[in-house]
Amino acid sequence: MAVASAAVLCTIGATAVVLTRGGDAARTPVAATVAEQAGRTAGPALPATGEQAAPVGDDPAGPATRTGRPAAAGSAPAAARPAAQVAAAAPASVAYLRERYRLSATEAARRLALQEYSAPLAERLAADEPDTYAGMWLDQAAGGVLVVATTDGTAVRGAVAGAPDAGHVRVVTVRHSLRRLSEAADRLATTLGGTPGEDVVVDPQRNALAVFTGGRIAADDTRLAGALAAAGVSATARPRPAGVVPKACDPRYCPDAPMRGGIRIDVPRDNGTVGGCTVGFNLRSRTGTPYILTAGHCVLSATHQHVDRTWHQFLGPKIPVSIESTDPVTAENAYPNDYAIMPYQPGALSNWASRTAGAPSLVNYWCVADNPRCTGSRDVAVTGYVAYSAIQLGWVVCATGAGYTPKSGEVYVDSGAGAGYLPGTRCGQIDGKTNGGIDVRICARAGDSGSPLFTESDGRALGILSDGDPGDGPCTNPDEHNHYAPVSTILSRANARLGGRPYFQLATRAPTLGPVPR
């Protein structure tokens, strides 16, 4: 079976709204102050510096600012929706709160309404009280409390005294205002060559800065200790969280960086037709040059006598990807040695290189209807590969391809997958190791050739699709078998042809424009 396809990155966003003052939201008593509850929250603890939390309206001095001007106790945003209306518009959010915190529907609605109110309140406090306001957060574990931090409890407490659901708003006194923290983050990021909001972030719950190392800022940067000490506010360095990867997107229309396994590549043939294949994994040379790995039969056959170039969305934007290597020749079409190790076309890497240093190499995981247990499209970070000798029968593994036959009116190369076949990720079982390859019970179609086979739990590369049982259209045969060329076999074979030295390696980091550290 000839096979192929595409995948790349999408982003997600969030929105916020406003709350009503009105009254069908139940009030759940808070048994202790937020400061006392902090150790039981899901997020970072509040600063342990003696700050006190107080309910809104408990200030004996009354609602006044530190300068003595009256606080506009009733000037909280007026535009608001009843909690029941908020809940009706967010059934999944209500369900999450009820399940996660074992709440009633009424209490879940109240919390969502308070969440809506918090967004315009934050904007207002940042504008009206820039010298005192220090950020806010919604503490679900402490009873659905909106915590407002400030350097001057009198000023901010007065400003929020008229808030709807005021019984669930708490004010805590901290050392630094949000403006001061943000300015310090800008300075610290500039000193270390990072980006504010990405490499240096404000942590309002700790009233401090966090510097994430492992990206633009190296953990062993000799400037780091001095810059943290000179920040003027509390600042600590933390390793960048592992496994933070971009979200996946539809493999047919994904022209964005970074390059990852599962992306569609179209290959023009000598006879003027175009075929489709799929990127398997990222490779790199010993010197750091990036390559893609796909099936050898995609560029070596009776209709591929010229030097093949591959493209993403050949009939659309026609974005250049790779070019067949001729010096040395790094492709074969003889299973299990069915592979093509292809460098990028001149200039193509500028479109496919990761913009984040040290970002992981990825395989696209795209949910399809016949993978009912797929709970969300995502990317899987590639952590290494499993040697062919260590791959075991009975393993449950996953494969991602992009074979597709367009519907009427769609401008897209027909890979020959057949009407009704959906590109994406499917999982199944290894039940053979014949002819030096990996036999799996996973549906695949023409256009998926070269696509990655991997372990879902730990991101280990196993092989790339070479051929399999005939079939087209939807996946209806539960016993369909397809065959994958092992990654370890491919690397051993390609390196042996170049003199036996380990010239090609599986990349565990995404391709970049600069040299890759060894």
Side-chain angles (χ1 to χ4, degrees), residues 115-491:
Q115 174 180 310
E116 287 197 347
Y117 173 73
S118 68
L121 177 63
E123 292 181 3
R124 175 172 174 264
L125 291 176
D128 293 352
E129 301 290 343
D131 295 325
T132 60
Y133 173 61
M136 68 175 62
W137 58 94
L138 192 58
D139 194 337
Q140 301 286 7
V145 175
L146 180 63
V147 186
V148 182
T150 176
T151 62
D152 186 327
T154 301
V156 169
R157 191 175 294 117
V160 301
D165 198 11
H168 289 91
V169 180
R170 294 289 184 270
V171 175
V172 293
T173 305
V174 295
R175 184 171 302 168
H176 306 297
S177 69
L178 183 59
R179 181 165 71 175
R180 184 178 180 188
L181 290 171
S182 299
E183 291 172 348
D186 290 345
R187 292 193 301 269
L188 189 54
T190 299
T191 299
L192 296 173
T195 300
E198 296 180 20
D199 304 298
V200 183
V201 301
V202 173
D203 183 346
Q205 291 179 295
R206 297 183 187 276
N207 196 232
L209 302 182
V211 177
F212 291 103
T213 61
R216 298 180 186 89
I217 301 173
D220 59 357
D221 191 320
T222 56
R223 302 169 296 175
L224 184 57
L228 292 174
V233 299
S234 178
T236 57
R238 307 176 192 172
R240 188 172 296 279
V244 177
V245 298
K247 300 298 182 185
C249 71
D250 190 319
R252 294 168 292 179
Y253 314 107
C254 298
D256 305 318
M259 173 61 73
R260 80 284 305 280
I263 192 170
R264 172 64 175 262
I265 49 175
D266 296 323
V267 190
R269 305 185 182 101
D270 296 352
N271 59 10
T273 62
V274 178
C277 279
T278 302
V279 174
F281 297 99
N282 287 308
L283 301 183
R284 52 163 288 191
S285 73
R286 182 168 46 86
T287 58
T289 303
Y291 292 79
I292 65 167
L293 173 64
T294 191
H297 68 256
C298 296
V299 296
L300 295 179
S301 73
T303 57
H304 291 280
Q305 300 303 306
H306 64 293
V307 176
D308 284 304
R309 286 173 168 79
T310 71
W311 312 80
H312 181 60
Q313 294 179 265
F314 185 82
L315 298 180
K318 195 177 180 181
I319 300 166
V321 183
S322 62
I323 182 171
E324 184 181 354
S325 177
T326 59
D327 186 22
V329 176
T330 52
E332 294 184 83
N333 182 9
Y335 186 79
N337 296 311
D338 182 6
Y339 67 91
I341 299 172
M342 304 179 72
Y344 287 85
Q345 292 187 42
L349 190 58
S350 62
N351 185 78
W352 300 109
S354 172
R355 298 326 190 243
T356 302
S361 182
L362 306 172
V363 168
N364 186 69
Y365 193 117
W366 182 249
C367 293
V368 288
D370 49 19
N371 183 0
R373 297 194 181 277
C374 184
T375 57
S377 297
R378 61 192 187 278
D379 282 317
V380 175
V382 176
T383 60
Y385 66 90
V386 180
Y388 180 64
S389 60
I391 295 172
Q392 304 299 321
L393 304 187
W395 280 9
V396 176
V397 295
C398 300
T400 290
Y404 186 64
T405 290
K407 299 175 183 178
S408 177
E410 288 185 319
V411 180
Y412 195 81
V413 170
D414 184 353
S415 72
Y421 179 72
L422 300 175
T425 304
R426 296 168 173 86
C427 301
Q429 185 173 319
I430 296 176
D431 61 1
K433 294 175 67 176
T434 58
N435 299 320
I438 308 167
D439 308 328
V440 300
R441 195 172 291 175
I442 299 177
C443 177
R445 295 288 179 263
D448 292 333
S449 284
S451 60
L453 183 72
F454 59 97
T455 53
E456 182 181 18
S457 62
D458 58 0
R460 295 284 174 172
L462 301 178
I464 60 172
L465 182 59
S466 178
D467 63 9
D469 291 348
D472 60 24
C475 298
T476 57
N477 178 8
D479 292 321
E480 178 179 330
H481 284 79
N482 287 289
H483 312 293
Y484 288 77
V487 167
S488 64
T489 300
I490 292 168
L491 292 175

